[in-house]
Short mmCIF file of all heavy atoms in Angstrom, two decimals:
data_model
loop_
_atom_site.label_atom_id
_atom_site.label_comp_id
_atom_site.label_asym_id
_atom_site.label_seq_id
_atom_site.Cartn_x
_atom_site.Cartn_y
_atom_site.Cartn_z
N VAL A 1147 4.11 5.87 -9.17
CA VAL A 1147 4.30 4.41 -9.14
C VAL A 1147 5.03 4.05 -7.86
O VAL A 1147 5.98 4.74 -7.47
CB VAL A 1147 5.12 3.93 -10.36
CG1 VAL A 1147 5.26 2.41 -10.32
CG2 VAL A 1147 4.48 4.37 -11.67
N VAL A 1148 4.58 3.00 -7.19
CA VAL A 1148 5.26 2.52 -5.98
C VAL A 1148 5.67 1.07 -6.20
O VAL A 1148 4.96 0.30 -6.87
CB VAL A 1148 4.35 2.63 -4.73
CG1 VAL A 1148 4.06 4.07 -4.41
CG2 VAL A 1148 3.05 1.86 -4.93
N LYS A 1149 6.82 0.71 -5.67
CA LYS A 1149 7.34 -0.65 -5.77
C LYS A 1149 6.96 -1.41 -4.50
O LYS A 1149 7.20 -0.95 -3.39
CB LYS A 1149 8.85 -0.63 -5.92
CG LYS A 1149 9.37 0.18 -7.10
CD LYS A 1149 9.10 -0.53 -8.42
CE LYS A 1149 9.74 0.24 -9.59
NZ LYS A 1149 9.50 -0.45 -10.88
N CYS A 1150 6.38 -2.57 -4.68
CA CYS A 1150 5.91 -3.35 -3.53
C CYS A 1150 6.42 -4.78 -3.66
O CYS A 1150 6.28 -5.41 -4.72
CB CYS A 1150 4.38 -3.33 -3.46
SG CYS A 1150 3.70 -4.24 -2.06
N GLU A 1151 7.00 -5.30 -2.59
CA GLU A 1151 7.48 -6.69 -2.56
C GLU A 1151 7.05 -7.41 -1.30
O GLU A 1151 7.74 -8.29 -0.80
CB GLU A 1151 9.01 -6.71 -2.70
CG GLU A 1151 9.73 -5.82 -1.70
CD GLU A 1151 11.24 -5.84 -1.90
OE1 GLU A 1151 11.73 -6.77 -2.58
OE2 GLU A 1151 11.92 -4.94 -1.37
N LEU A 1152 5.92 -7.00 -0.75
CA LEU A 1152 5.42 -7.63 0.47
C LEU A 1152 4.70 -8.93 0.16
O LEU A 1152 4.04 -9.04 -0.89
CB LEU A 1152 4.47 -6.67 1.19
CG LEU A 1152 5.05 -5.33 1.66
CD1 LEU A 1152 3.95 -4.42 2.16
CD2 LEU A 1152 6.07 -5.57 2.77
N PRO A 1153 4.79 -9.93 1.02
CA PRO A 1153 4.00 -11.16 0.82
C PRO A 1153 2.50 -10.80 0.89
O PRO A 1153 2.12 -9.90 1.66
CB PRO A 1153 4.40 -12.04 2.01
CG PRO A 1153 5.70 -11.47 2.49
CD PRO A 1153 5.66 -10.01 2.19
N PRO A 1154 1.66 -11.39 0.09
CA PRO A 1154 1.89 -12.54 -0.79
C PRO A 1154 2.27 -12.17 -2.23
O PRO A 1154 2.05 -13.00 -3.14
CB PRO A 1154 0.53 -13.23 -0.77
CG PRO A 1154 -0.44 -12.08 -0.69
CD PRO A 1154 0.23 -11.05 0.18
N CYS A 1155 2.80 -11.00 -2.49
CA CYS A 1155 3.22 -10.64 -3.84
C CYS A 1155 4.34 -11.58 -4.29
O CYS A 1155 5.28 -11.84 -3.53
CB CYS A 1155 3.69 -9.19 -3.89
SG CYS A 1155 2.40 -7.99 -3.46
N PRO A 1156 4.28 -12.11 -5.52
CA PRO A 1156 5.27 -13.11 -5.97
C PRO A 1156 6.66 -12.52 -6.16
O PRO A 1156 7.66 -13.22 -6.06
CB PRO A 1156 4.69 -13.61 -7.29
CG PRO A 1156 3.84 -12.48 -7.78
CD PRO A 1156 3.27 -11.84 -6.55
N ASN A 1157 6.76 -11.21 -6.45
CA ASN A 1157 8.04 -10.55 -6.66
C ASN A 1157 7.82 -9.05 -6.49
O ASN A 1157 6.77 -8.62 -5.97
CB ASN A 1157 8.60 -10.88 -8.05
CG ASN A 1157 7.54 -10.73 -9.14
OD1 ASN A 1157 6.81 -9.74 -9.15
ND2 ASN A 1157 7.44 -11.72 -10.01
N VAL A 1158 8.77 -8.25 -6.92
CA VAL A 1158 8.60 -6.79 -6.85
C VAL A 1158 7.60 -6.38 -7.91
O VAL A 1158 7.83 -6.61 -9.12
CB VAL A 1158 9.94 -6.06 -7.06
CG1 VAL A 1158 9.72 -4.55 -7.02
CG2 VAL A 1158 10.96 -6.47 -6.00
N VAL A 1159 6.50 -5.81 -7.49
CA VAL A 1159 5.45 -5.41 -8.43
C VAL A 1159 5.30 -3.90 -8.42
O VAL A 1159 5.62 -3.23 -7.44
CB VAL A 1159 4.10 -6.08 -8.07
CG1 VAL A 1159 4.21 -7.59 -8.13
CG2 VAL A 1159 3.65 -5.65 -6.69
N ASP A 1160 4.83 -3.37 -9.53
CA ASP A 1160 4.56 -1.94 -9.67
C ASP A 1160 3.09 -1.70 -9.36
O ASP A 1160 2.20 -2.38 -9.90
CB ASP A 1160 4.87 -1.46 -11.08
CG ASP A 1160 6.36 -1.53 -11.40
OD1 ASP A 1160 7.16 -1.42 -10.45
OD2 ASP A 1160 6.70 -1.69 -12.58
N CYS A 1161 2.82 -0.72 -8.51
CA CYS A 1161 1.45 -0.34 -8.17
C CYS A 1161 1.24 1.12 -8.54
O CYS A 1161 2.13 1.95 -8.33
CB CYS A 1161 1.16 -0.56 -6.68
SG CYS A 1161 1.23 -2.30 -6.18
N PHE A 1162 0.07 1.42 -9.05
CA PHE A 1162 -0.22 2.74 -9.59
C PHE A 1162 -1.33 3.39 -8.79
O PHE A 1162 -2.38 2.80 -8.57
CB PHE A 1162 -0.61 2.65 -11.07
CG PHE A 1162 0.42 1.96 -11.92
CD1 PHE A 1162 0.40 0.58 -12.09
CD2 PHE A 1162 1.44 2.69 -12.50
CE1 PHE A 1162 1.36 -0.07 -12.85
CE2 PHE A 1162 2.40 2.06 -13.28
CZ PHE A 1162 2.36 0.68 -13.45
N ILE A 1163 -1.08 4.64 -8.36
CA ILE A 1163 -2.02 5.39 -7.53
C ILE A 1163 -2.96 6.18 -8.44
O ILE A 1163 -2.54 6.75 -9.46
CB ILE A 1163 -1.26 6.34 -6.60
CG1 ILE A 1163 -0.37 5.54 -5.65
CG2 ILE A 1163 -2.22 7.22 -5.80
CD1 ILE A 1163 0.55 6.39 -4.82
N SER A 1164 -4.22 6.22 -8.06
CA SER A 1164 -5.20 6.98 -8.83
C SER A 1164 -5.03 8.48 -8.65
O SER A 1164 -4.94 8.97 -7.53
CB SER A 1164 -6.62 6.57 -8.39
OG SER A 1164 -7.59 7.42 -8.96
N ARG A 1165 -4.93 9.21 -9.74
CA ARG A 1165 -4.87 10.69 -9.77
C ARG A 1165 -3.84 11.26 -8.78
O ARG A 1165 -4.19 12.06 -7.91
CB ARG A 1165 -6.25 11.29 -9.50
CG ARG A 1165 -7.26 10.92 -10.57
CD ARG A 1165 -8.58 11.62 -10.36
NE ARG A 1165 -9.35 11.02 -9.30
CZ ARG A 1165 -10.61 11.36 -9.00
NH1 ARG A 1165 -11.20 12.32 -9.68
NH2 ARG A 1165 -11.25 10.78 -8.02
N PRO A 1166 -2.59 10.86 -8.87
CA PRO A 1166 -1.60 11.34 -7.89
C PRO A 1166 -1.35 12.84 -7.95
O PRO A 1166 -1.14 13.47 -6.92
CB PRO A 1166 -0.33 10.54 -8.25
CG PRO A 1166 -0.51 10.17 -9.68
CD PRO A 1166 -1.98 9.97 -9.88
N THR A 1167 -1.35 13.43 -9.16
CA THR A 1167 -1.08 14.86 -9.28
C THR A 1167 -2.17 15.68 -8.60
O THR A 1167 -1.89 16.63 -7.85
CB THR A 1167 -0.98 15.27 -10.76
OG1 THR A 1167 0.07 14.51 -11.39
CG2 THR A 1167 -0.66 16.75 -10.90
N GLU A 1168 -3.42 15.32 -8.84
CA GLU A 1168 -4.55 16.04 -8.22
C GLU A 1168 -4.52 15.89 -6.71
O GLU A 1168 -4.74 16.87 -5.97
CB GLU A 1168 -5.86 15.50 -8.78
CG GLU A 1168 -7.09 16.30 -8.35
CD GLU A 1168 -8.35 15.81 -9.00
OE1 GLU A 1168 -8.32 14.72 -9.64
OE2 GLU A 1168 -9.39 16.47 -8.89
N LYS A 1169 -4.18 14.70 -6.23
CA LYS A 1169 -4.11 14.48 -4.79
C LYS A 1169 -2.96 15.27 -4.17
O LYS A 1169 -3.09 15.79 -3.06
CB LYS A 1169 -3.96 12.99 -4.50
CG LYS A 1169 -5.22 12.18 -4.81
CD LYS A 1169 -5.02 10.70 -4.56
CE LYS A 1169 -6.30 9.94 -4.84
NZ LYS A 1169 -6.15 8.48 -4.68
N ASN A 1170 -1.84 15.37 -4.88
CA ASN A 1170 -0.72 16.15 -4.37
C ASN A 1170 -1.07 17.62 -4.26
O ASN A 1170 -0.67 18.30 -3.31
CB ASN A 1170 0.50 15.96 -5.27
CG ASN A 1170 1.19 14.63 -5.07
OD1 ASN A 1170 1.15 14.07 -3.98
ND2 ASN A 1170 1.83 14.11 -6.10
N ILE A 1171 -1.81 18.12 -5.24
CA ILE A 1171 -2.21 19.54 -5.20
C ILE A 1171 -3.09 19.82 -3.98
O ILE A 1171 -2.87 20.79 -3.24
CB ILE A 1171 -2.96 19.92 -6.50
CG1 ILE A 1171 -1.98 19.90 -7.68
CG2 ILE A 1171 -3.60 21.31 -6.36
CD1 ILE A 1171 -2.64 20.10 -9.03
N PHE A 1172 -4.07 18.96 -3.74
CA PHE A 1172 -4.94 19.16 -2.57
C PHE A 1172 -4.17 18.98 -1.27
O PHE A 1172 -4.43 19.69 -0.29
CB PHE A 1172 -6.12 18.19 -2.62
CG PHE A 1172 -7.25 18.66 -3.47
CD1 PHE A 1172 -7.53 18.03 -4.68
CD2 PHE A 1172 -8.05 19.72 -3.09
CE1 PHE A 1172 -8.57 18.46 -5.48
CE2 PHE A 1172 -9.10 20.16 -3.88
CZ PHE A 1172 -9.36 19.53 -5.09
N THR A 1173 -3.23 18.05 -1.24
CA THR A 1173 -2.44 17.84 -0.03
C THR A 1173 -1.62 19.08 0.30
O THR A 1173 -1.59 19.53 1.46
CB THR A 1173 -1.52 16.63 -0.20
OG1 THR A 1173 -2.31 15.45 -0.45
CG2 THR A 1173 -0.68 16.41 1.06
N VAL A 1174 -0.95 19.64 -0.70
CA VAL A 1174 -0.16 20.85 -0.47
C VAL A 1174 -1.05 22.00 -0.03
O VAL A 1174 -0.70 22.77 0.88
CB VAL A 1174 0.63 21.22 -1.75
CG1 VAL A 1174 1.29 22.58 -1.61
CG2 VAL A 1174 1.68 20.16 -2.05
N PHE A 1175 -2.22 22.11 -0.65
CA PHE A 1175 -3.14 23.19 -0.28
C PHE A 1175 -3.57 23.07 1.18
O PHE A 1175 -3.57 24.05 1.93
CB PHE A 1175 -4.37 23.14 -1.19
CG PHE A 1175 -5.39 24.20 -0.90
CD1 PHE A 1175 -5.27 25.47 -1.43
CD2 PHE A 1175 -6.47 23.92 -0.07
CE1 PHE A 1175 -6.21 26.45 -1.15
CE2 PHE A 1175 -7.41 24.90 0.21
CZ PHE A 1175 -7.28 26.15 -0.33
N MET A 1176 -3.93 21.85 1.61
CA MET A 1176 -4.36 21.65 2.99
C MET A 1176 -3.22 21.86 3.97
O MET A 1176 -3.42 22.37 5.08
CB MET A 1176 -4.96 20.25 3.15
CG MET A 1176 -6.21 20.01 2.33
SD MET A 1176 -7.63 21.04 2.81
CE MET A 1176 -8.26 20.12 4.20
N VAL A 1177 -2.01 21.48 3.58
CA VAL A 1177 -0.84 21.68 4.44
C VAL A 1177 -0.57 23.17 4.62
O VAL A 1177 -0.31 23.65 5.73
CB VAL A 1177 0.39 20.96 3.87
CG1 VAL A 1177 1.67 21.42 4.57
CG2 VAL A 1177 0.24 19.45 4.02
N VAL A 1178 -0.63 23.93 3.52
CA VAL A 1178 -0.37 25.37 3.60
C VAL A 1178 -1.41 26.07 4.45
O VAL A 1178 -1.08 26.92 5.30
CB VAL A 1178 -0.33 25.98 2.18
CG1 VAL A 1178 -0.29 27.50 2.23
CG2 VAL A 1178 0.89 25.47 1.41
N THR A 1179 -2.70 25.74 4.27
CA THR A 1179 -3.74 26.38 5.07
C THR A 1179 -3.60 26.01 6.55
O THR A 1179 -3.86 26.85 7.43
CB THR A 1179 -5.13 25.97 4.57
OG1 THR A 1179 -5.23 24.54 4.49
CG2 THR A 1179 -5.40 26.55 3.19
N ALA A 1180 -3.19 24.77 6.84
CA ALA A 1180 -2.97 24.39 8.24
C ALA A 1180 -1.82 25.21 8.85
O ALA A 1180 -1.90 25.64 10.00
CB ALA A 1180 -2.66 22.90 8.34
N CYS A 1181 -0.77 25.43 8.08
CA CYS A 1181 0.36 26.25 8.55
C CYS A 1181 -0.08 27.68 8.83
O CYS A 1181 0.32 28.29 9.83
CB CYS A 1181 1.50 26.23 7.55
SG CYS A 1181 2.33 24.64 7.37
#
């Protein structure tokens, strides 16, 4: 979950990312292989 309060948002809103755990796994995998 990310908190966003940028215009034109009326107040601090919660935004939800699609499949964050799966994306984190692939990100770590790609980072490790790059290293």
Side-chain angles (χ1 to χ4, degrees):
V1147 182
V1148 294
K1149 303 288 186 179
C1150 181
E1151 53 182 342
L1152 298 172
C1155 298
N1157 47 46
V1158 178
V1159 299
D1160 294 332
C1161 295
F1162 304 89
I1163 298 172
S1164 171
R1165 296 185 284 187
T1167 302
E1168 188 176 10
K1169 290 178 179 177
N1170 283 332
I1171 292 173
F1172 277 109
T1173 300
V1174 171
F1175 180 84
M1176 296 295 278
V1177 167
V1178 170
T1179 52
C1181 291

